[in-house]
Amino acid sequence: MAKSNEVTTDASTIRNILTLRYDPTQNTSLPTLSSNDYIPTETVSVEYIEKSMQEYVQDKIDKSNIKKIVVALSGGIDSTLVLALLRKKFPDIDVETISIKFAQSLDESEKAAKISEFFGVKHQTIQLENYLEELPQAISAVGLPFWDLHWYYVVKKARTITKHLASGDGGDELFGGYTFRYSKFLSLVTESSTPLDKVKAYLACHERDNVPDQQDVFGPNAKFSWDKIYRFLLPYFDNKLDPLNQVFLADYNGKLLYNFSIVNTKIHNHFEINNVAPILSQKLIQYSTRLASDQKYNKNNDLGKIPLRHLIKKLGADQFISKEKLGFSVNTINLWKSFGKKTCEYYLSDSRAVKEDLLNHNWIKKHLTQNDLDARYVNKFLGLLAVEVWCRLFVTKEMKPSDTL
């Protein structure tokens, strides 16, 4: 098979997404921030956060004449806060909620249904048996090889109800929601840690698909090197910010800018839906980054998003909020056992991405034949499956978006 110019162009994209879970070479609609944007100058003001979110929604209503809106409700603090704000501040808008129930995964839809009932809004649950079934359609809409595209199903359902969709996007990155990583990062670094030490610690905290033989995943055309990854992340840790604000800076300029923002925008455009994300208002981005790290995250009790917790209490919905981070998530081990392994065996046993020298056949063969892969390797294989689907859609063009897995 002849090597494709498109593959040559996108080799860095494959390398970045399979290592960082985002690609910083893409264009994003959100502003890039520097360490200067994270120098603490603000104090917590629940009133300011509430006013900023309210003004953002009002502006959206005025510009788009919103009469009905759907809230993507996971049951976590961010989406519950958005729902509470809409019901308390905009009672004339017709509001509905939707959530996803993944097969053999933690069912957060029951909690979402209870929250919806509390606010007196209609709730619908998307029952998703095979998370991977419409992956070709989702990747076709996004144009990038991501596998975790649950937002495709959310927006697809929302569009059957209205063309306006509200979400709690940005809460984790702006207000310290990834608590499961912060304590580990702090345990790995010291006052004498170099910026490179911190970069390596930061990467070590991304345990979802951080496999120890990461460098062996790739073929020669991917041109993988850890130095390229380290050089991208170094500016976020080579500054005078405190260690957690360095993490917040890296999180914002990483997954928020180059995964969530890009992926969600492309999916919204695909379904011609208007996105309403009050936490991502320009005012709140500027304000939240100026808060000291301990105003957002309490390391003593491992509690994050402290200002948002105060606001949701003011809006009368704090009884639904737990300490744990919630969000739409699929149990990938169970997905692997039911659909994932056999799907990966089918597509990766004769991989087009391997023939294009993007992926390493020996790595795939070595791990795909194992019976009890841990979650990191399962998630990595789902990433490879996305690359393979992307390759068949955009490089060899033998797959159609309407094909199902």
Side-chain angles (χ1 to χ4, degrees):
M1 180 182 296
K3 302 298 183 287
S4 164
N5 289 332
E6 187 171 358
V7 171
T8 301
T9 300
D10 288 291
S12 63
T13 295
I14 304 298
R15 182 180 67 234
N16 289 331
I17 290 177
L18 286 179
T19 307
L20 295 167
R21 285 189 280 150
Y22 56 83
D23 178 28
T25 69
Q26 301 294 313
N27 294 320
T28 177
S29 58
L30 293 176
T32 302
L33 300 182
S34 72
S35 58
N36 291 332
D37 297 302
Y38 276 77
I39 298 173
T41 58
E42 298 283 356
T43 57
V44 173
S45 170
V46 173
E47 291 72 22
Y48 182 83
I49 297 172
E50 180 181 17
K51 181 181 178 182
S52 298
M53 293 178 66
Q54 187 173 348
E55 289 176 350
Y56 171 92
V57 175
Q58 186 64 60
D59 182 63
K60 286 281 188 177
I61 292 172
D62 294 341
K63 288 182 177 178
S64 303
N65 192 29
I66 299 176
K67 303 295 183 184
K68 184 172 186 175
I69 193 167
V70 169
V71 178
L73 187 63
S74 68
I77 184 171
D78 305 326
S79 57
T80 302
L81 175 58
V82 171
L83 174 60
L85 182 85
L86 286 171
R87 296 308 294 145
K88 297 286 186 179
K89 303 298 181 180
F90 304 95
D92 295 332
I93 295 180
D94 184 7
V95 179
E96 293 189 22
T97 59
I98 54 175
S99 61
I100 301 182
K101 182 178 181 180
F102 302 108
Q104 302 178 67
S105 300
L106 177 65
D107 185 7
E108 297 161 352
S109 64
E110 293 183 5
K111 182 176 182 180
K114 291 180 180 178
I115 296 171
S116 302
E117 182 181 11
F118 175 80
F119 284 105
V121 301
K122 181 181 178 181
H123 177 75
Q124 296 186 55
T125 298
I126 307 165
Q127 303 278 348
L128 204 55
E129 184 65 25
N130 180 2
Y131 187 94
L132 303 173
E133 184 175 14
E134 295 186 39
L135 189 60
Q137 182 69 66
I139 290 178
S140 177
V142 173
L144 294 166
F146 290 104
W147 73 266
D148 188 6
L149 296 175
H150 67 272
W151 200 244
Y152 165 86
Y153 295 101
V154 172
V155 181
K156 179 183 178 182
K157 178 62 178 179
R159 193 62 184 90
T160 66
I161 303 170
T162 179
K163 63 178 183 179
H164 307 289
L165 173 64
S167 71
D169 288 355
D172 288 319
E173 292 80 9
L174 295 180
F175 287 96
Y178 295 121
T179 56
F180 51 88
R181 287 202 276 102
Y182 304 150
S183 57
K184 180 174 181 178
F185 177 82
L186 292 175
S187 73
L188 293 175
V189 301
T190 66
E191 291 184 1
S192 61
S193 295
T194 67
L196 182 58
D197 291 334
K198 293 179 182 179
V199 167
K200 292 179 179 179
Y202 179 72
L203 289 169
C205 293
H206 291 70
E207 295 178 327
R208 191 178 78 167
D209 55 2
N210 181 19
V211 295
D213 53 352
Q214 170 72 13
Q215 66 278 358
D216 299 327
V217 169
F218 300 97
N221 269 356
K223 295 180 174 60
F224 177 83
S225 82
W226 280 116
D227 285 342
K228 293 178 182 177
I229 302 298
Y230 297 155
R231 282 201 301 271
F232 168 71
L233 292 172
L234 269 173
Y236 307 134
F237 297 91
D238 190 8
N239 53 61
K240 295 181 180 180
L241 296 176
D242 76 73
L244 268 188
N245 261 340
Q246 291 177 333
V247 170
F248 296 158
L249 173 62
D251 282 351
Y252 174 89
N253 283 314
K255 197 167 178 62
L256 179 60
L257 250 63
Y258 297 110
N259 182 325
F260 290 144
S261 175
I262 291 172
V263 167
N264 291 5
T265 297
K266 288 179 179 289
I267 294 174
H268 297 149
N269 292 340
H270 176 75
F271 287 104
E272 297 181 329
I273 203 160
N274 177 36
N275 180 40
V276 180
I279 299 176
L280 279 178
S281 72
Q282 189 59 43
K283 283 187 176 181
L284 276 191
I285 291 175
Q286 294 175 346
Y287 169 77
S288 63
T289 57
R290 294 293 186 179
L291 292 173
S293 60
D294 60 3
Q295 293 183 301
K296 293 185 279 190
Y297 170 69
N298 186 327
K299 63 182 179 181
N300 293 323
N301 58 15
D302 197 30
L303 191 68
K305 295 192 272 198
I306 296 172
L308 300 188
R309 292 177 182 276
H310 291 325
L311 177 54
I312 207 165
K313 181 176 182 179
K314 179 183 177 183
L315 294 174
D318 56 309
Q319 68 267 38
F320 298 108
I321 303 305
S322 62
K323 177 182 177 180
E324 294 77 17
K325 171 178 165 49
L326 295 177
F328 299 126
S329 59
V330 62
N331 185 315
T332 53
I333 291 292
N334 290 336
L335 175 63
W336 182 253
K337 293 176 180 178
S338 58
F339 297 103
K341 184 175 183 180
K342 61 184 178 182
T343 303
C344 285
E345 287 174 340
Y346 179 81
Y347 286 99
L348 295 176
S349 61
D350 185 23
S351 169
R352 310 310 191 256
V354 166
K355 292 178 180 178
E356 293 285 348
D357 286 336
L358 288 169
L359 302 180
N360 181 357
H361 172 73
N362 291 331
W363 189 95
I364 293 172
K365 183 179 180 180
K366 174 183 177 181
H367 295 291
L368 195 54
T369 55
Q370 297 182 21
N371 292 323
D372 296 312
L373 289 179
D374 65 33
R376 297 174 302 163
Y377 281 92
V378 167
N379 294 336
K380 187 63 70 180
F381 266 112
L382 295 177
L384 300 192
L385 177 63
V387 170
E388 182 64 23
V389 169
W390 174 87
C391 196
R392 296 188 186 206
L393 282 168
F394 294 103
V395 181
T396 67
K397 303 185 188 302
E398 64 195 271
M399 180 176 277
K400 297 179 292 186
S402 58
D403 290 344
T404 55
L405 303 189

